[in-house]
Amino acid sequence: MARRVDLVLVLAAVALLVFALARCGHRVPALSPQRASWTLTPGVANPDVTSATTTITICKSGWTRTIRPPVSYTNDLKQKQMREYGRTGSPSAYQEDHLISLELGGHPTDPRNLWPEPYPRASIVDGLENELNAQVCSGKLSLETAQRRESQLKHTEG
C-alpha cells in the first residue's frame, strides 16, 4: 500500500512539474529519445511467470528481490551494452533496466531483456512499471497486455 501511495505522489509531482513548466512558457521535456533497440533488446519473459502463476510470483510482495540479478552482473553487462548501443558518458547516467520488468514477468538475466536506459527516463518508467504491476495484480489488466504496453513504451516512445 505504501508503494502505491509513493507512486501516486511521484506521478502527481511529475504532473505538477510538467504543468508548471508549461504555464511558465518553458518547453516540457519528453522522455529521452534513446529508446530500446528491437534487435538488441527484444524483451524476454521469465518462463516461471504466467497468467496462472502471478499470485505466487509478480503479485507476491518481495518476489522480485528473489530473482534480481547481482549488481556485478548488471554493471558488467551495462558496460558491454553501452558500447553496442553507442551510448556515451558515464555508466552512472544509465540504469541497466529490464525491458520487460521483473514486476511484469521479465527474464532476470537474459541479455536480450536488459538494456542501458538513460536517467531520468529510467526513474520515470520505474513508476509506470509498478502501476502496470498493480493493474495486473488487481485483475484490471492481463499480464500479456501489460508486457506489450511496457515493450511499446521502451521501444517506441522517446
Side-chain angles (χ1 to χ4, degrees):
M1 181 66 163
R3 273 183 34 188
R4 187 167 178 86
V5 170
D6 289 345
L7 173 63
V8 169
L9 291 174
V10 168
L11 292 176
V14 169
L16 186 59
L17 176 63
V18 168
F19 177 76
L21 288 172
R23 298 270 304 165
C24 295
H26 288 85
R27 193 168 162 263
V28 178
L31 291 175
S32 169
Q34 297 179 354
R35 300 172 186 99
S37 161
W38 286 102
T39 305
L40 297 172
T41 314
V44 177
N46 182 341
D48 295 333
V49 180
T50 66
S51 295
T53 66
T54 58
T55 58
I56 60 170
T57 57
I58 67 169
C59 298
K60 185 176 178 182
S61 181
W63 182 77
T64 60
R65 279 193 305 270
T66 69
I67 61 163
R68 189 170 304 281
V71 173
S72 59
Y73 174 77
T74 56
N75 280 347
D76 289 346
L77 185 59
K78 184 191 324 186
Q79 295 281 344
K80 178 180 183 257
Q81 288 184 333
M82 283 180 69
R83 288 188 297 277
E84 291 173 348
Y85 267 83
R87 302 283 202 253
T88 59
S90 171
S92 65
Y94 299 89
Q95 173 181 309
E96 188 66 7
D97 197 24
H98 291 89
L99 188 102
I100 299 173
S101 63
L102 299 179
E103 294 84 355
L104 292 176
H107 196 286
T109 57
D110 191 314
R112 296 170 301 158
N113 194 47
L114 287 145
W115 69 294
E117 185 174 29
Y119 286 111
R121 176 192 163 105
S123 299
I124 295 167
V125 172
D126 285 347
L128 299 173
E129 292 167 357
N130 292 333
E131 181 58 32
L132 287 169
N133 171 271
Q135 290 179 23
V136 170
C137 294
S138 70
K140 293 180 184 172
L141 199 62
S142 74
L143 177 63
E144 295 77 16
T145 299
Q147 289 174 341
R148 265 193 316 275
R149 286 185 185 173
E150 183 175 34
S151 175
Q152 181 178 2
L153 170 71
K154 293 178 180 180
H155 283 122
T156 64
E157 297 180 24

